[in-house]
Amino acid sequence: MQLSPDDIIFWQGGFFKLNATIVFTWAVMLLLTVGSMLLARRLSTGMKRSRWQNLLEVVVTAIEKQIEEVGLTEPRKYLGFLGTLFLFVSMASLGTIIPGFKPPTSSLSTTVALAICVFVAVPLFGIEDQGVKGYCRSYMEPTVIMLPFNIIGEISRTLALAVRLFGNMMSGEMIVGILLTITPYLFPIVMTALGLLTGMVQAYIFSILATVYIAAAMGGTRSGNQPETKE
Amino acid sequence: MLIDWFTVVAQAVNFLILVWLLKRFFYAPILNAIDAREMRIASELADASAQKDLAQRERAELRDKNQEFDHQRASLLGEATLSARAERQRLLDDVRKEAEGLRTRQMDSLRSDYKNLKGEIARRTRDEVFAIARKTLRDLASVNLEEQIVAVFIRQCRSLHEEKKKELQAVFKASAVSALVRSTFPLSAEQRQAIQLMSQEVFGSAGHFRFETSPDLISGIELSMDGHEVSWSIADYLLSLDKNVGSLLCGESSAEDQKESHPGEKRPEVQNDLRLESEPDGQSR
């Protein structure tokens, strides 16, 4: 049994390889990009708009509102990064209803890559907002003694972010795979539906945690705004 | 190993590419559309608010104008009412004055006509009375009217009251001027002589007499001396006739008036009238 789609390799040439994770990621990227281009092709600025446009606007404004509610006063500045996180993870989860589809987020490589992106984005947004000195000073608050702990906390939360998403997505895949061998037909379908819900929740958790980390870097306390996450 | 670092790098790059793609083809168009709609809605709301403000201002202005119009209308109506009343009063006064003037002129005209008619009636009556009396006397007794008037005058003077006679005798004796005898018709020598004789006999006058003819006497004779006079004329007859005619003209046609209007019945009362006129202090003339 394969734990990760990284193990499904279609092509390999030296260091470079083309595995199922990358391929399904491209599929999700293609779906999102082409779908966006098609749906956003004829957008109406009037009071009358199509159902699809209405759906897209609801999604975008909902993400924007969530970002703003967390504490970022300029949500559009972070909408591209945080919104894409949510959409990518949620589309990867939704793809599990397609037989044969392996969600890229069930690969620890993908979740680590996303966590690294968050790990890099947080100081970038923080430095952009407070400057290098201001952001670095935030690691020494409330005292200099807290500097190593803050750095450890920064790394550990990134690791937790990656492992949490990977664990949830991978476990869903694993459970469905095991149940298929034991009780085929009905029960795996129920578990797949439950996996969809879990995937959407994980997408929300992943993006909202990234938002909180960025918001914490925007002049707030380093650990004060972090919500407790329980799975 | 669960982590393939090439895949990690590739997925990170893929994610960044996806971020750029979605920013380019998803977020930007959607947000632009939302912004355009919000701007449009905000603009429409602003326009609606401005129109509402304008409508409220115009409404307030219109209400003020209406109130002002009402006040002006009430004021103008009051002024017009007062002016109409004043004009009506003025026209009524004018009409009243004009009617009064017309009435006055009409009354004056009627009075003038009445006076003229009365004068004409008196003149004609006198002429007719004279003519009838003259003709009657001539036809029935072959007597001249003037002679008869002189005879009546002499007879009336003779039949005066004794106190009057004495009073007049005193006047005639005390006066140094000549007595004046005025008559409507010229007196003949015999008549003058008869009057002189009667005067000497009754009043004791021995002076001169002056005889004058005066149409104003209305068929009569007047003997005057130093403010005192004795006269006889048919003026009283004419006065009575005038009264009756006046009553007829004024519409007072009562039976009593009609009865008084007959000269035949009046005549005996005034026929023997001999007037003695005195000064205001009561002295006889």
Side-chain angles (χ1 to χ4, degrees):
Chain A
M1 186 174 181
Q2 295 170 333
L3 286 176
S4 171
D6 292 354
D7 299 333
I8 305 171
I9 298 171
F10 299 112
W11 174 83
Q12 186 169 11
F15 182 69
F16 300 97
K17 62 180 77 168
L18 190 63
N19 51 31
T21 305
I22 295 172
V23 171
F24 287 124
T25 299
W26 286 351
V28 171
M29 288 171 65
L30 188 68
L31 179 68
L32 284 172
T33 306
V34 174
S36 300
M37 289 173 71
L38 288 175
L39 295 175
R41 189 175 48 187
R42 292 176 184 175
L43 291 176
S44 166
T45 57
M47 298 304 290
K48 289 185 177 179
R49 52 191 185 272
S50 64
R51 293 178 183 176
W52 286 109
Q53 183 182 347
N54 207 24
L55 174 67
L56 295 181
E57 288 183 5
V58 166
V59 169
V60 171
T61 51
I63 296 169
E64 194 177 10
K65 194 175 179 184
Q66 281 295 318
I67 295 170
E68 193 174 11
E69 282 181 359
V70 168
L72 295 172
T73 53
E74 296 178 29
R76 291 195 179 184
K77 189 176 172 185
Y78 315 101
L79 182 65
F81 181 75
L82 298 171
T84 306
L85 268 180
F86 174 76
L87 289 176
F88 177 71
V89 175
S90 59
M91 285 306 295
S93 302
L94 284 174
T96 55
I97 59 172
I98 301 170
F101 180 81
K102 298 289 183 184
T105 47
S106 62
S107 160
L108 187 59
S109 302
T110 304
T111 57
V112 166
L114 294 179
I116 288 172
C117 287
V118 174
F119 181 76
V120 173
V122 168
L124 285 178
F125 285 124
I127 289 168
E128 187 187 19
D129 184 64
Q130 303 183 61
V132 179
K133 283 186 178 179
Y135 180 74
C136 291
R137 196 180 296 120
S138 67
Y139 279 88
M140 293 181 281
E141 288 175 356
T143 59
V144 182
I145 302 170
M146 294 299 293
L147 176 63
F149 300 104
N150 281 331
I151 291 171
I152 292 169
E154 194 79 18
I155 295 168
S156 65
R157 79 183 182 190
T158 304
L159 187 61
L161 202 64
V163 172
R164 182 188 300 114
L165 181 61
F166 164 71
N168 279 286
M169 298 307 293
M170 186 269 288
S171 64
E173 282 286 308
M174 291 290 288
I175 289 168
V176 171
I178 292 166
L179 286 176
L180 275 174
T181 59
I182 302 169
T183 56
Y185 307 119
L186 187 62
F187 200 69
I189 294 174
V190 176
M191 289 309 294
T192 302
L194 187 63
L196 279 178
L197 179 63
T198 309
M200 294 305 294
V201 171
Q202 287 306 313
Y204 176 74
I205 288 171
F206 194 93
S207 55
I208 208 76
L209 280 176
T211 309
V212 169
Y213 297 154
I214 293 171
M218 296 289 112
T221 58
R222 183 132 298 280
S223 57
N225 288 336
Q226 293 184 18
E228 290 292 328
T229 55
K230 295 176 182 176
E231 292 89 36
Chain B
M1 189 175 179
L2 288 175
I3 299 174
D4 179 27
W5 289 107
F6 171 77
T7 307
V8 170
V9 173
Q11 289 295 81
V13 172
N14 284 336
F15 178 73
L16 293 177
I17 291 170
L18 182 63
V19 168
W20 181 82
L21 285 173
L22 289 186
K23 266 190 176 179
R24 171 76 175 79
F25 297 109
F26 183 63
Y27 300 118
I30 296 289
L31 290 174
N32 288 336
I34 291 172
D35 289 344
R37 185 182 302 113
E38 285 181 351
M39 284 181 66
R40 186 171 174 177
I41 291 171
S43 173
E44 288 178 356
L45 285 175
D47 288 345
S49 178
Q51 286 182 354
K52 186 181 177 184
D53 292 342
L54 182 64
Q56 284 179 344
R57 281 201 302 274
E58 287 181 351
R59 181 187 172 196
E61 191 178 345
L62 193 62
R63 189 176 58 224
D64 293 342
K65 279 185 179 177
N66 279 337
Q67 288 178 351
E68 189 179 351
F69 285 156
D70 289 342
H71 290 156
Q72 285 183 356
R73 186 180 63 183
S75 174
L76 288 174
L77 196 61
E79 288 177 5
T81 305
L82 290 176
S83 176
R85 282 180 185 164
E87 183 67 15
R88 177 174 172 269
Q89 190 61 38
R90 189 185 65 77
L91 290 173
L92 282 174
D93 291 343
D94 289 348
V95 169
R96 196 174 289 124
K97 283 178 185 172
E98 194 172 351
E100 190 71 24
L102 282 173
R103 196 164 66 86
T104 306
R105 284 200 296 276
Q106 190 182 18
M107 290 301 294
D108 291 344
S109 175
L110 283 173
R111 256 187 229 109
S112 175
D113 291 346
Y114 176 70
K115 192 181 288 183
N116 292 336
L117 184 61
K118 195 168 73 173
E120 182 66 19
I121 288 170
R123 190 182 62 75
R124 284 196 180 184
T125 304
R126 184 187 63 190
D127 293 345
E128 289 296 323
V129 166
F130 269 115
I132 290 167
R134 192 177 292 113
K135 190 170 183 298
T136 305
L137 288 172
R138 191 182 298 122
D139 290 347
L140 294 178
S142 300
V143 177
N144 193 329
L145 175 63
E146 286 76 12
E147 288 178 359
Q148 199 61 29
I149 289 170
V150 171
V152 168
F153 176 68
I154 290 170
R155 192 169 62 244
Q156 292 288 344
C157 287
R158 286 181 192 280
S159 61
L160 274 175
H161 204 267
E162 287 301 321
E163 289 182 1
K164 299 291 180 184
K165 282 181 182 177
K166 286 178 181 176
E167 187 179 343
L168 288 171
Q169 283 170 2
V171 172
F172 272 79
K173 283 178 181 175
S175 177
V177 297
S178 56
L180 176 61
V181 177
R182 294 169 67 216
S183 60
T184 311
F185 49 88
L187 296 171
S188 63
E190 291 82 8
Q191 290 168 344
R192 290 181 180 185
Q193 191 174 2
I195 291 170
Q196 282 180 352
L197 285 173
M198 180 276 296
S199 180
Q200 287 173 1
E201 182 182 341
V202 174
F203 306 120
S205 67
H208 294 286
F209 285 84
R210 286 189 296 119
F211 294 95
E212 288 182 2
T213 303
S214 174
D216 299 335
L217 284 174
I218 314 177
S219 186
I221 298 174
E222 178 187 278
L223 172 61
S224 62
M225 180 66 160
D226 198 14
H228 295 262
E229 65 181 24
V230 178
S231 65
W232 181 93
S233 71
I234 64 167
D236 291 333
Y237 298 86
L238 295 176
L239 188 62
S240 175
L241 183 62
D242 180 54
K243 275 185 181 178
N244 293 328
V245 171
S247 299
L248 283 172
L249 288 174
C250 292
E252 297 175 3
S253 56
S254 63
E256 189 175 343
D257 292 338
Q258 285 178 356
K259 195 181 287 181
E260 287 177 353
S261 66
H262 293 300
E265 297 174 12
K266 180 71 180 177
R267 187 169 292 175
E269 296 176 6
V270 295
Q271 212 167 18
N272 298 325
D273 182 32
L274 179 66
R275 288 199 302 167
L276 290 173
E277 297 181 4
S278 301
E279 290 292 335
D281 56 358
Q283 293 179 345
S284 301
R285 289 186 293 175

